[in-house]
Amino acid sequence: MVAIIIVYILKRKSPKLEDSGKNTEPAHEELDIQPYSDLDKLIISCVLKHKKIDGYHDINELLEITGYLPEFEQIIIKSWTEQEHTNPDLQMPEFLNSFLTTFHNTQLVQYAPDFVRERNDKFIKAFDYIRITVQKIQGWLDNEDLRKIIETDLLTANNTPITLAAIKELATYFCFVSIGCDGLGRYNLVYSIDYRFQEMLSGPMASTLIRRINEYTEQVETFVYIGSLHKDCIQYFNEKVATELSHNQKLTVTPMHD
């Protein structure tokens, strides 16, 4: 069984691992973080330890490498136990796929210190304020394309996450903003600006957006990251539309101010 598991790790590329990473980096697609097979090893090792089967890796070391809280082990074991109860023939590949398509880093927030949870609340407020600012700016723009906005809730209505880390994002022709959660239950925010930003917006409006982002995230700036200041936001936006928006995405056109 151990040999089969090891071969499986080498061959398998885990879903959603582009959003997992060490605890010093924001876990967003925006930063193009590469997959970590260590997360597979961690999940498998926790199960092997629970079942008292030799051959598992050092769990504490893997927790440190992947940037997860120690309580992550409890979550893995609880999920395995529940699934094995309903499926006595549960196999490791099946469990890995199931776990990685239902788990989200926000499940670890409950184990984070009070100050982290309080800071997380500030991130949610900052994201909402940034969204409001973006739409206020859009209301002054004649170009309808520049007034389009895609809002995405990456924790869907049926509570099945789409990624391990990302929570919300907004995309326009001139900027992209996302909020996510790392393996320590800490929220972080990533924003990118289109390389034609100043051509799309007037100087005062462009300055206002940057200034407001800095103001709203001032109390949490340690966990605010610039994804890119020369992103092709138009291409990113159009690719989202071209692939058809899912039920957790909303495309609207901000009305112009009277």
Side-chain angles (χ1 to χ4, degrees):
M1 177 179 179
V2 175
I4 293 174
I5 291 172
I6 292 174
V7 170
Y8 181 73
I9 292 176
L10 293 175
K11 288 185 177 180
R12 180 178 178 276
K13 181 178 180 180
S14 301
K16 306 192 305 176
L17 295 188
E18 71 275 6
D19 287 318
S20 67
K22 297 183 180 181
N23 59 20
T24 56
E25 295 289 346
H28 290 244
E29 284 184 324
E30 179 72 2
L31 298 187
D32 193 29
I33 295 176
Q34 297 302 310
Y36 283 90
S37 62
D38 290 319
L39 183 57
D40 279 354
K41 294 178 184 178
L42 173 57
I43 296 169
I44 292 170
S45 294
C46 288
V47 174
L48 292 179
K49 177 185 174 183
H50 170 69
K51 295 178 71 67
K52 296 181 171 58
I53 298 175
D54 294 333
Y56 55 85
H57 296 270
D58 186 310
I59 291 175
N60 289 330
E61 181 180 348
L62 287 172
L63 285 168
E64 182 176 354
I65 291 172
T66 55
Y68 277 95
L69 288 171
E71 288 81 3
F72 187 44
E73 181 179 358
Q74 301 173 21
I75 294 174
I76 294 169
I77 298 307
K78 182 175 183 293
S79 179
W80 171 270
T81 303
E82 291 174 350
Q83 291 190 45
E84 190 180 37
H85 179 72
T86 57
N87 179 14
D89 296 324
L90 181 65
Q91 299 297 311
M92 189 62 70
E94 180 184 358
F95 174 69
L96 276 169
N97 286 322
S98 173
F99 183 81
L100 290 170
T101 52
T102 56
F103 173 76
H104 194 272
N105 288 345
T106 51
Q107 295 177 33
L108 289 159
V109 172
Q110 61 183 311
Y111 303 110
D114 290 343
F115 76 89
V116 169
R117 294 199 295 271
E118 291 172 1
R119 186 176 61 212
N120 289 349
D121 291 339
K122 293 177 182 178
F123 265 113
I124 295 296
K125 291 179 181 178
F127 182 87
D128 289 339
Y129 288 147
I130 292 170
R131 175 182 53 79
I132 292 170
T133 298
V134 167
Q135 291 181 300
K136 283 183 177 179
I137 289 173
Q138 287 181 314
W140 295 109
L141 304 175
D142 293 327
N143 188 314
E144 183 175 301
D145 284 335
L146 294 180
R147 288 188 282 113
K148 291 178 181 179
I149 183 171
I150 297 175
E151 298 176 68
T152 306
D153 181 356
L154 289 147
L155 284 175
T156 59
N158 61 1
N159 205 32
T160 301
I162 294 182
T163 66
L164 287 173
I167 300 172
K168 292 182 178 183
E169 67 178 40
L170 67 83
T172 71
Y173 267 34
F174 54 86
C175 71
F176 172 88
V177 185
S178 65
I179 186 170
C181 180
D182 67 14
L184 300 179
R186 306 175 305 183
Y187 287 7
N188 49 68
L189 185 142
V190 178
Y191 70 92
S192 294
I193 301 298
D194 189 90
Y195 66 91
R196 296 150 293 195
F197 180 60
Q198 291 183 302
E199 298 173 21
M200 298 179 190
L201 308 181
S202 68
M205 284 192 287
S207 298
T208 295
L209 178 57
I210 298 300
R211 186 170 63 251
R212 289 289 183 262
I213 290 175
N214 290 333
E215 288 177 2
Y216 297 145
T217 60
E218 183 177 5
Q219 294 181 319
V220 292
E221 61 181 356
T222 305
F223 295 92
V224 177
Y225 303 87
I226 298 173
S228 173
L229 294 178
H230 50 84
K231 184 178 179 68
D232 189 342
C233 292
I234 294 179
Q235 180 181 352
Y236 182 81
F237 187 99
N238 289 335
E239 284 175 354
K240 278 184 169 294
V241 174
T243 56
E244 295 189 6
L245 300 178
S246 61
H247 66 281
N248 67 319
Q249 295 178 308
K250 179 176 66 174
L251 169 60
T252 57
V253 179
T254 301
M256 293 189 65
H257 299 309
D258 297 330

